[in-house]
Amino acid sequence: MLADIPIREPVHSIQPGDEWRVEQGIAGVELYLIDETKKGDQGGTHEISEKPPVTDDGLAKDELPGWNGYVEWEDYPDKKKLAHEILISQKFPPPPEFQLEQIPGTNPVLEGVRWKKWHRAIGGRLKNIPEESWDIVLKEKDPNMLHLLQFPYNGEPPKRLVTEHDVTPNPLHFIRNHGGIPSIDPTAWFLRLEGLVKTPKKLTLSDLQDTTRFPRMERLVTIQCSGTRRIEQIGLYAGEGDEMINAPWAEGAIGTARYVGVSLKKVIKDCGGLVDGAQHLELVGADTYFKMNEVMNYAVSVPWSKVRAHEVLLVWEMNGEQLPKIHGAPVRAVVLGYIGARSVKWLYRITAIKEPSRAPVQSREYLYFNQQVGKHNQRWTDGIQIQEMPVSSAIMAPWNKQVVIHEGKISVKGWAYSGGGRWPERVEVSADGGFSWYMVPVENLSPKHKYAWRTWHTQVPCDVEGWIELVVRCWDNSLRYPTEVRNAWNWGLHVTSSAHRVRIYSVNKSRERTRARLEEFEKRGISFVPITRPTEFPYMSWDEYEEYFAKNGPRDVEV
């Protein structure tokens, strides 16, 4: 060692094991708050008096014979009040962190511990609902499904299977549940029609299937969650992080199926029509929902104008089969062109009302906020109610960070969709980040339908090697086209309508040197991936090295 360089002293202290992860934002959940408006110690603890938890194991019971897992809350205000007292008397864990921390690499990705504990705290019939619901998931859904949330169940198919079929097979159709899964005997089921209708009624499944009373309707319908592609917004900026409301959906929270049922308009007409200024229909499901220490049945509403246009169906058949339990059997609502949250599963009550429902899913959730609105200042009245999804598209293959070997053209496939009864007219793909666009040939698009997606596939010219960015965009018949993810970001992480971008590593085998190198890898039995792994054999011989510089001059020159 040179004499003028001091010998480094032994290290006696080390950086805390996770400090680098924290300061680089990798473990962002551990970052402390900086409050420049306060001086001095900002810590401190507050004593909270402990009270014994309230319990009542007889509170939640099956409401009706043959309605397994259905607990009625809306008819019993005192019952809801007691459930609230039970919840506020107990402590529950916070939601898991999946935005400021890395998303778990497990399947199920998230367990839903809070939701399970809420059900068990209420007890009675709800105690075992999480386990019963999971059994139904394993029975009815494809084993390839990505289980984003075990309970309430939220799951989507893997990318490779999302557009495998123009019509999504039932076991592969995504599921976005807000509670447990009831098991209701179709022969015991009935629908309550109440509120501001001339003649309130109860209709059985046999009544609805009586074609002399209700003409049968069949529609091909795409249902999409407003959180589809949420993972892209999370990758940009963190937002609200409820593991169920803000589940980290990828591109598979969309599916298309052929439904058979009847128009809700005809059912309302059978009740003599609306009276006393009714303008909305509240749809209520048999599943139990939790919100801010309150317990209720899942409920949303749709405007009468939507019903009047025959765009709200009551269905009992999905892709030629009896509606699966997990998809809302015996009867669910399918609201054409609206987000999936409005298509209530396990439907049992429809109430005609004057104003939109005050139920939380309608009035406090699924709201689109200005980007300056967040945890510190949001009000429900500041959000735009999300009903129709804007035009959107996504690349299903290849995948982000994937290495693609090709000969000047890259095969790309995906889906395109627009809500509100609009449809994709043109899909374009770029291989240079959005500078040059290539239209997907019309013959490579699935047929047009008013309320359904179009799947597509194409080949994009690409001479470039190295990292490139594939981008897809589409126009619908209203000439709407997507924005960028920065413009789409919002606190609830809804409606990722941006052009979908996928970064891949391009290896053009039509180039002679590339072809020779790939043959060398194959000859040696060495995998080309992962692309980051250093090559363990020489890139060239020393003879080739010397020959090159003898011909082209040295690396360095003196003058």
Side-chain angles (χ1 to χ4, degrees):
M1 181 172 290
L2 299 176
D4 60 344
I5 300 180
I7 298 175
R8 185 184 296 273
E9 292 187 3
V11 177
H12 297 291
S13 62
I14 61 172
Q15 186 183 45
D18 64 346
E19 186 168 336
W20 180 81
R21 295 177 68 250
V22 173
E23 65 189 20
Q24 294 299 321
I26 299 171
V29 71
E30 299 177 37
L31 285 166
Y32 59 85
L33 175 70
I34 298 175
D35 189 343
E36 296 184 356
T37 67
K38 293 183 179 180
K39 303 296 181 182
D41 183 16
Q42 297 178 23
T45 58
H46 301 277
E47 293 294 327
I48 300 176
S49 58
E50 293 287 341
K51 295 181 180 180
V54 177
T55 59
D56 186 341
D57 207 45
L59 181 65
K61 297 180 179 179
D62 283 335
E63 181 71 12
L64 295 166
W67 293 56
N68 189 22
Y70 157 54
V71 178
E72 174 59 40
W73 296 102
E74 305 312 308
D75 289 343
Y76 308 112
D78 290 342
K79 184 174 171 180
K80 295 179 73 170
K81 182 179 179 182
L82 179 53
H84 173 69
E85 292 174 358
I86 290 173
L87 293 175
I88 63 174
S89 74
Q90 301 185 35
K91 290 183 177 180
F92 299 96
E97 184 53 60
F98 56 91
Q99 296 187 44
L100 298 175
E101 293 278 350
Q102 193 170 18
I103 294 176
T106 55
N107 194 21
V109 179
L110 304 171
E111 184 183 350
V113 173
R114 290 191 311 156
W115 293 80
K116 291 180 179 181
K117 287 183 177 292
W118 289 337
H119 279 70
R120 290 164 186 157
I122 299 299
R125 189 60 194 85
L126 295 187
K127 185 177 181 180
N128 296 322
I129 285 292
E131 289 72 28
E132 293 175 11
S133 297
W134 183 240
D135 286 342
I136 294 172
V137 171
L138 296 179
K139 181 179 179 181
E140 294 192 349
K141 301 312 289 183
D142 191 284
N144 289 293
M145 290 287 283
L146 171 62
H147 311 303
L148 284 178
L149 182 63
Q150 186 181 45
F151 183 81
Y153 183 69
N154 284 245
E156 63 180 295
K159 274 189 177 184
R160 59 187 169 85
L161 296 178
V162 173
T163 56
E164 188 73 12
H165 307 274
D166 294 342
V167 178
T168 313
N170 293 350
L172 284 172
H173 198 291
F174 91 99
I175 286 288
R176 200 279 196 268
N177 286 344
H178 295 75
I181 303 172
S183 296
I184 303 173
D185 182 350
T187 63
W189 178 86
F190 59 85
L191 176 65
R192 295 165 54 177
L193 294 131
E194 305 172 344
L196 303 178
V197 293
K198 185 175 182 180
T199 308
K201 288 186 177 182
K202 288 183 179 180
L203 297 176
T204 66
L205 183 55
S206 295
D207 292 331
L208 290 182
Q209 293 177 338
D210 183 354
T211 55
T212 64
R213 295 176 65 181
F214 305 111
R216 197 156 295 187
M217 290 183 64
E218 180 177 323
R219 291 289 185 274
L220 186 68
V221 182
T222 292
I223 295 180
Q224 182 183 24
C225 179
S226 70
T228 309
R229 297 173 51 201
R230 177 175 283 135
I231 196 73
E232 295 165 55
Q233 291 197 46
I234 291 174
L236 184 65
Y237 303 119
E240 195 163 50
D242 183 296
E243 70 271 40
M244 193 278 290
I245 299 299
N246 313 106
W249 292 106
E251 301 86 2
I254 184 171
T256 300
R258 193 170 297 279
Y259 296 97
V260 172
V262 299
S263 170
L264 176 55
K265 178 184 179 181
K266 295 294 185 180
V267 175
I268 296 300
K269 183 178 179 181
D270 192 70
C271 295
L274 303 181
V275 296
D276 299 333
Q279 291 295 322
H280 297 266
L281 283 303
E282 185 179 58
L283 313 176
V284 186
D287 46 334
T288 293
Y289 188 56
F290 290 77
K291 185 70 175 181
M292 293 184 175
N293 293 317
E294 302 286 347
V295 185
M296 65 210 77
N297 295 105
Y298 182 86
V300 298
S301 63
V302 292
W304 169 242
S305 59
K306 189 77 173 171
V307 177
R308 190 174 56 218
H310 296 289
E311 293 182 339
V312 181
L313 307 184
L314 310 182
V315 308
W316 55 81
E317 185 179 300
M318 181 178 181
N319 288 333
E321 301 175 0
Q322 181 177 314
L323 192 67
K325 289 181 181 179
I326 200 168
H327 283 278
V331 173
R332 71 172 296 175
V334 172
V335 183
L336 312 184
Y338 270 20
I339 61 171
R342 310 302 179 216
S343 292
V344 174
K345 297 187 281 290
W346 311 290
L347 184 69
Y348 78 97
R349 184 196 309 222
I350 298 176
T351 306
I353 53 180
K354 292 184 177 181
E355 302 289 339
S357 173
R358 297 293 180 88
V361 177
Q362 190 70 37
S363 62
R364 292 183 267 166
E365 299 169 13
Y366 296 96
L367 300 173
Y368 196 90
F369 291 104
N370 174 274
Q371 292 188 348
Q372 293 195 51
V373 172
K375 190 172 186 175
H376 59 293
N377 63 353
Q378 68 170 307
R379 301 181 304 176
W380 303 320
T381 52
D382 292 332
I384 301 172
Q385 188 178 70
I386 303 169
Q387 301 280 53
E388 300 176 357
M389 286 293 280
V391 65
S392 180
S393 52
I395 296 170
M396 295 296 99
W399 303 339
N400 202 37
K401 300 183 181 180
Q402 196 161 27
V403 177
V404 179
I405 299 174
H406 59 91
E407 293 186 324
K409 289 185 178 181
I410 296 176
S411 297
V412 190
K413 69 175 184 176
W415 56 258
Y417 174 70
S418 189
R422 291 170 291 271
W423 55 87
E425 278 286 353
R426 186 168 73 205
V427 178
E428 296 179 344
V429 181
S430 170
D432 58 9
F435 186 79
S436 304
W437 294 93
Y438 298 89
M439 187 173 73
V440 175
V442 174
E443 60 269 23
N444 291 358
L445 287 161
S446 62
K448 294 179 188 177
H449 292 275
K450 188 173 183 180
Y451 301 103
W453 69 5
R454 301 184 78 178
T455 59
W456 55 267
H457 62 92
T458 193
Q459 286 194 315
V460 184
C462 181
D463 182 62
V464 178
E465 295 197 286
W467 287 107
I468 66 169
E469 188 174 57
L470 298 173
V471 193
V472 63
R473 67 182 183 186
C474 69
W475 278 261
D476 66 12
N477 59 308
S478 297
L479 296 183
R480 300 187 304 170
Y481 60 93
T483 178
E484 296 298 317
V485 67
R486 176 63 182 85
N487 299 328
W489 187 91
N490 61 98
W491 179 245
L493 307 171
H494 294 290
V495 192
T496 309
S497 57
S498 54
H500 188 215
R501 297 175 179 269
V502 173
R503 295 179 176 91
I504 66 169
Y505 195 85
S506 166
V507 180
N508 191 344
K509 199 173 180 179
S510 67
R511 296 187 177 186
E512 182 178 346
R513 188 180 301 165
T514 297
R515 183 185 298 274
R517 178 57 56 84
L518 291 174
E519 289 174 354
E520 185 72 17
F521 271 91
E522 188 172 348
K523 178 181 176 182
R524 293 173 179 268
I526 299 174
S527 175
F528 193 68
V529 292
I531 195 66
T532 53
R533 185 171 294 165
T535 306
E536 298 297 335
F537 59 86
Y539 301 129
M540 60 194 307
S541 70
W542 283 114
D543 287 343
E544 291 172 326
Y545 185 90
E546 298 293 348
E547 181 183 347
Y548 177 86
F549 286 114
K551 180 179 179 181
N552 297 289
R555 282 191 186 273
D556 301 316
V557 293
E558 297 297 327
V559 292

